[in-house]
Amino acid sequence: NTEGGIFKLKDETRILIHKGLSTEEKVDKLLSLFSTLNTEGIHLPPVIRKRLESSRLLSDNEAEAEQAAVSPCADPKETLNLDSSS
């Protein structure tokens, strides 16, 4: 089971959203999917463009947090600034 996704079919980009989701969940999923696309050449109402930008920032922050969680620190003292010589 999946909430939905984006895929190509015969050179056309398609979006599939699970019909069992609530309206709010569908909107969130669409925002998440559209935030991965280049929408610069597409006319979008300002409120939609603002929500897409917010979704992009959230996705970027989540990706950075995930990367930080799995990336080992080279020197924990340096990262946490625990070096007593400073």
Side-chain angles (χ1 to χ4, degrees):
N1 267 337
T2 181
E3 294 178 349
I6 191 166
F7 61 97
K8 283 227 179 229
L9 178 65
K10 297 184 180 181
D11 295 326
E12 290 185 356
T13 301
R14 303 283 179 116
I15 293 176
L16 185 66
I17 303 292
H18 192 283
K19 69 179 181 179
L21 297 177
S22 70
T23 301
E24 184 177 342
E25 291 170 321
K26 289 176 184 178
V27 168
D28 288 343
K29 188 63 181 177
L30 282 170
L31 282 170
S32 173
L33 293 171
F34 275 116
S35 71
T36 65
L37 302 174
N38 180 359
T39 57
E40 285 185 32
I42 301 171
H43 173 71
L44 295 171
V47 67
I48 300 298
R49 194 164 296 282
K50 185 175 180 177
R51 288 196 63 185
L52 282 174
E53 184 59 30
S54 294
S55 183
R56 285 183 181 115
L57 291 173
L58 181 62
S59 294
D60 289 347
N61 289 341
E62 288 173 352
E64 287 175 8
E66 184 177 308
Q67 181 63 31
V70 296
S71 295
C73 297
D75 184 357
K77 289 181 183 178
E78 186 176 298
T79 304
L80 299 175
N81 199 16
L82 298 176
D83 190 0
S84 60
S85 65
S86 16

